[in-house]
Amino acid sequence: MTIDVPQEILDALTDVDMPRLPAEAVASEKVWLASIETPIYRAGCVVVGSGAAGLRAAVEMKRRGVDAVIVSQSAWGGTSACSGSDKQTLHTANTADQGDNYRAMARAIRSGGAMDEDTAYVEAVGSSRMMASLQFLGLPLPQDPLGGTLRYQTDHDEVGRATSCGPRTSRLMVKVLAEEAIRLGVPFYNQTTAVKMLTEGEGAERHVAGMLVMRAGDRTEENPLGIALFVSDVIVLAAGGPGELYRDSVYPNGCFGSLGLALEAGLELVNLTESQFGIGTRREGFPWNLSGTYVQAIPHIYSVDGEGAEHHFLAEYYRSTQELASNIFRKGYQWPFHATRMLDFGSSLVDLAIYRETVAGRRVFMDFNRNPLPVPGDLPFDLERLDEDVRLYLGKAGAGQETPIDRLKHMNPLAIELYRRYKIDIAEEPLEFAVNNQHMNGGIMVDTWGRTNLGGCYAVGEAAGTHGVTRPGGAALNAGQVFGTRVAEHIGGGGGAKRAAAGGVPAAAEAGIANLLSALRTESSLTVKAVRSAVQARMSEKAGIICDQGSVRQALIEARELNMQIRANGLAYGRAAEAVRAVQWRHMALASEAVLSALDFFIGQGGGSRGARAICDPSGELLPLASAGPLQAYRFRKESDAHREEQIVIRLEGDEIRLSTRPNRNLDESARSFFERDWPAWLTGCIYDRGGGE
Ligand SMILES: Cc1cc2nc3c(=O)[nH]c(=O)nc-3n(C[C@H](O)[C@H](O)[C@H](O)COP(=O)(O)OP(=O)(O)OC[C@H]3O[C@@H](n4cnc5c(N)ncnc54)[C@H](O)[C@@H]3O)c2cc1C
C-alpha cells in the first residue's frame, strides 16, 4: 500500500456493526410433552446457525420460495462473525491474471488428498459466482481501476487465488448476507440452541422430522429449561466447527458445532483426523491468526521462562539469521503446521519450536519493535540478506522500513488497528501467542448437494466434512458459500419445503425430550467445568500437532471412560441457562471420542504424518533436523500414498463409535458438457439426483 489510508476507512473495515434482528414470530401452538409445555414452531426448512454458510443457505432458499427459518445459538457469534486472520480470505477463481481453469483449481483444492474430486470441482466452479454475488450484496472486495479483483497468494495456493477486504472479511460477509436475509423476511430465532434432531422411519427410509431446541425466550414455569420443538422435514446444519474441543484454540469462545448432535442422530462423519493448527493469539484474550503480514513483517520471536529470562530459541533450530528470518516470513502463506515442512529447515520448524517452548512452560512472544536477533556466530539481520522469494516480495511491497512495526504499518495498517481495538498495542508491547487449533477440515459427510446420509438433512460450512487433508487459505469460506447455495438449489428444486410442515407432532418428540432431560441431573457429580477441562486438556495435549500411537490410544480410553460416566450419571447444571451448556458439553465429549477414535484407527492402520499432525514414531522414516542436531524425539512417520485416496467414516451405533473407510469420489476430467444433450436434465431437475435423499 503506497497511499496513507485515512483512519475512518480503516475503522469501517475493522468495526463492523451488525443489523438489528426483526421481532421473532411466536410459537404456533403449545403441546404437553414429557410433562413440559412445549412451544411448537413450524417451518419448511430449519437452518441451524447464522454464520456465513447458514445465512447463504437461508438467503438462497428464500429466493427460491422455500419457507426457511434460522435458529441460532448466537446470531452474531460463531467463527465467521467473530474471528479472522490478518487477511481473512476468500478463495476465488480467475487468477494468475489470465483467467482460471476450474479443473486446475479443483486439483489445487484437493491436493492434500482424502478429498472427493467432485466436491473440489463443485467448489472451484462455484467460486466465481459466490464472489460475484457477495459483491452484488455489497461486500467491498478490492478492485483495480479496470474492475479486476485484487488477489494474493495464501496457504496451499501456488498461484494467488485469495482475496480479502481486510481482517473482518468474514464478518462483512455475515453482515451483507444477514442484511439480505432480513430484507427477504427470513425469520430468525436467536439465543436458540439446537440440542436434538428428531427422525422418523428406519434404514434407508429414515428421515428428519424436526429439531428440539433450548430457548431462553421460551422458559416458563411449565418449561423451566425453555425446550421448544421446530417441526420440519428439512434441516440444514450450519453450526460451524467444534472450536471448544481444544484448550489451545484460536476459535472465538462458545463454538461447539454440531458433531455430537449429528452422531446422536445417526449421521456419518468423515475426515475427523484432519484439522488445522497454527500460530495465533488465544481466545482467552483476542483470538486471531498470526499469518500474512504479521509474520511477513518479520518480527523478533522469543520466549520467557519462569524466572523472566528471555530465550532466542529459534536460533537453536535454524542455521543462519537469513534462514531463521526467511522462515518467519514464510509463515505468512504457509500458516498451518504441516509435518513435512519441519524437514529441510522449513517453516513448520517454527511451529515445532514454539510448541516445545510452551510444553516447557515458557511463554512465547512476537516483538514488532525488534528485528530477529542474529543466530549466534552469524551476521545480523539485514533486509538484503533474505532468501530470494522473501527479498523480492518485501521489495515489491515497498517494505524496506527499518523495523517490523514500520514494515507492518506500511503493508497492512489494519493489522495494528485490530489489536488496538482489543487494547493490545503491538506498536508498543510484544504480543504473546502460541500454536492453536483453528479449523476442523472433517465433519458431517455430504454429497455434492450437501446431503447427509439422513433423508432431509443437509450440512454446510465448517459443519460439513468437505475438506481433505489440506485446504487452501480461504477455501473454508468459499466452500460454505458454494454449498450454502447448492443445498438451497436442491431443497428449492424439490418443492416440498415451500410451505411450513403441517401434520401432528412427530412421534419421536416426547421420547426426545425425556431423553434430553434424563441426561441433565442437578445432583450429578459431573460438572460442565470438569468435563470441559478434561476434554480440552486431553485434546490439546494428546491430539495436537505432535501425536504418537501410545498417547492417542490412552487418550481414547480416557475419552470413552468419560462418556460412560456421562451416560451413567448425566451432567449437572445449576441455573436453567447452564442446562444448554451441559447438553453441549455432552456432545463435545462424544465428538472428542469420535476424533480420537478416528486418529487411533488411522495410526493403527499405519497412517502417517499429514496435514495438521506429525505422527511421531521411533521407527519413522523422517527426521527433522535443527541446527543443534537431529530432533530424535520428533522422528515421524511418512504419509502413506494409499491413505490419500480414501476417507475415514465415523458413525455411532448404540454407544459404540464405528469406523470404516471409503474411497474418494472421482471426477472424470475428460467429461465435457454438451448443451443440447445436457439441458433437459437441468430443465427437468434430473441434475438433483433425487434417488436417495430428501
Ligand atoms: C482465527 C481464524 C481465522 C480464519 N481465517 C480464515 C480465512 O482467512 N479464510 C477462510 O476461508 N476461513 C478461515 N477460517 C475458517 C472460517 O472462518 C470458518 O470455517 C467459517 O467462518 C465457518 O463458517 P460457518 O458459517 O460454517 O460457521 P460459523 O461462522 O462458526 O457459524 C456457526 C453458527 O452456528 C451457530 N450455532 C452453533 N451451534 C449451534 C446450535 N447447536 N444451535 C443453533 N445454532 C448454533 C452459531 O451461533 C453461529 O451462528 C478461520 C477461522 C479462524 C478461527
Side-chain angles (χ1 to χ4, degrees), residues 605-627:
Q605 304 254 318
S609 308
R610 60 183 195 180
R613 295 185 175 90
I615 308 298
C616 294
D617 184 336
S619 51
E621 305 86 337
L622 301 172
L623 177 64
L625 301 178
S627 53

Side-chain angles (χ1 to χ4, degrees), residues 31-38 40 212 221-225 227 229 505-518:
V31 175
W32 283 92
L33 295 168
S35 308
I36 299 286
E37 193 182 29
T38 315
I40 311 288
L212 289 174
E221 243 173 71
E222 295 73 29
N223 184 4
L225 301 183
I227 295 173
L229 169 62
V505 167
E510 179 130 39
I513 295 178
N515 175 281
L516 202 60
L517 294 175
S518 71

